Each structure stands twice: as C-alpha cells, then as structure tokens.
Amino acid sequence: MPFRQEILYEAAQPALFLLDAVDAVFVWQGWSPTPLEPAASARFHSHRRSALTLALDYARLLDDKPCPVSLVYAGFESDDFVHRFPHWTTDHEATRCHAAEGRTCVEDAETLLSALSRSRFSLDELMRRPLPEGVDPMRIEAYLDDKDFATALGCDKDAFYSMPPWKQTAAKKDAALF
C-alpha cells in the first residue's frame, strides 16, 4: 500500500507519523496553526521524544543493514521523502507555521533526540525566549544546575521545593523563570 499525503495532512494537528520506507525511516511532524499552550507544548515535546526513540529503536531492529532515521517537518518535506508518495502538493500553511518556529529542514533523528533530551541548561539559555526545545515552561527551574538555581532563586532546590506552590510561583516570577 503506497503512502498517501492525505493521511498525514488530514490528521488532527500537530501530528506525528512513523513511516518505514524500507531503506529509511521517517518521523513526520505536523504543524500547529496556533501556538500551543505551555502544558500542551510540553506534552507534544514528550510525544515527539517518544516517537524519535521508537523510530530509532525500530530501525535498529530491522534485519537488513542499518538505515537512516529522520524527522521531517510538514511543509519542508525533502525530495527523498516526497518521492515515496504517488502525489504530493506542498502545504503552504504548514510551511509558514514551521518557518515561524525556525524549522526549515529534515533533521537527523539521533541528533535531534539528543538535543531534546537535555536535562540541564544554563541560566542564560533559560532566560532567552523562545525557550530551548523540549523545556517545560512550567518547570524552567528544574533545568538549572545547583549553582544557577541558587543564583536565580536565592535558595537551594530542597528549600525551594519545600515552599508552598504559591510561594514557588512568586519566586519564579521574581527570577523571570515563568
């Protein structure tokens, strides 16, 4: 059964699909026409990490020689990806949405997964907007090392997490980590 573009583009967006093309494995990422709320964004990044992990594990289990695994953004599908479909039309809304987020090319799944799986960022990185991909905007402080945590919030992690939630929120707002 050939791949069909309609299956990808008619799914609720943002969507993730894994496509086994025999000599390559693709994770196709749909688009979000409006920015996701912080909790939805964190969930989507978690799903994307899981999809990339699944695709890499799947490719390793194939009996043949190892094949490349790539993440393909809707609207920026490569010729290698598009030629596997009987018909393809570029979706300009998807292109616009991904371009606005700075995504414009196919990415190596292993490299991207490594970047998305980072658990520590410097205070400077977390003060910039937009936040690094994969950072949960509701838990920015969790990505700081002990030194930057104390610098930003004025206490160690144990003291911070023993505070009532309202006090944690106030401290994060004062430190611009919200």
Side-chain angles (χ1 to χ4, degrees), residues 141 149 153 155-163 168 171-172:
E141 78 285 353
F149 191 98
L153 294 162
C155 62
D156 65 21
K157 290 181 181 183
D158 290 335
F160 178 80
Y161 289 118
S162 67
M163 293 178 188
Q168 289 178 22
K172 290 191 313 186

Side-chain angles (χ1 to χ4, degrees), residues 19-167:
L19 293 92
D20 178 354
V22 180
D23 63 334
V25 173
F26 298 98
V27 175
W28 180 87
Q29 179 180 321
W31 71 101
S32 181
T34 58
L36 296 174
E37 294 297 320
S41 178
R43 271 192 314 276
F44 182 74
H45 286 300
S46 175
H47 292 313
R48 187 164 63 151
R49 274 193 301 273
S50 295
L52 291 167
T53 300
L54 175 69
L56 289 163
D57 289 347
Y58 175 77
R60 285 185 195 107
L61 290 174
L62 296 175
D63 291 332
D64 315 19
K65 61 181 180 174
C67 64
V69 181
S70 303
L71 177 75
V72 178
Y73 295 110
F76 288 100
E77 293 88 355
S78 65
D79 288 342
D80 184 38
F81 181 83
V82 168
H83 285 100
R84 297 166 191 275
F85 292 77
H87 174 73
W88 192 269
T89 304
T90 300
D91 185 291
H92 297 291
E93 179 188 5
T95 304
R96 181 188 55 74
C97 291
H98 277 301
E101 295 176 2
R103 299 180 181 128
T104 60
C105 62
V106 173
E107 295 193 55
D108 173 69
E110 200 147 3
T111 303
L112 181 59
L113 181 60
S114 176
L116 290 175
S117 298
R118 280 182 64 186
S119 61
R120 293 283 175 252
F121 292 88
S122 71
L123 182 56
D124 288 341
E125 288 174 303
L126 293 172
M127 297 302 287
R128 290 187 220 127
R129 298 298 181 265
L131 288 169
E133 272 198 289
V135 169
D136 181 347
M138 301 304 290
R139 298 184 57 247
I140 296 172
E141 78 285 353
Y143 298 92
L144 293 169
D145 65 23
D146 292 339
K147 182 181 174 210
D148 281 344
F149 191 98
T151 299
L153 294 162
C155 62
D156 65 21
K157 290 181 181 183
D158 290 335
F160 178 80
Y161 289 118
S162 67
M163 293 178 188
W166 66 268
K167 203 167 186 179

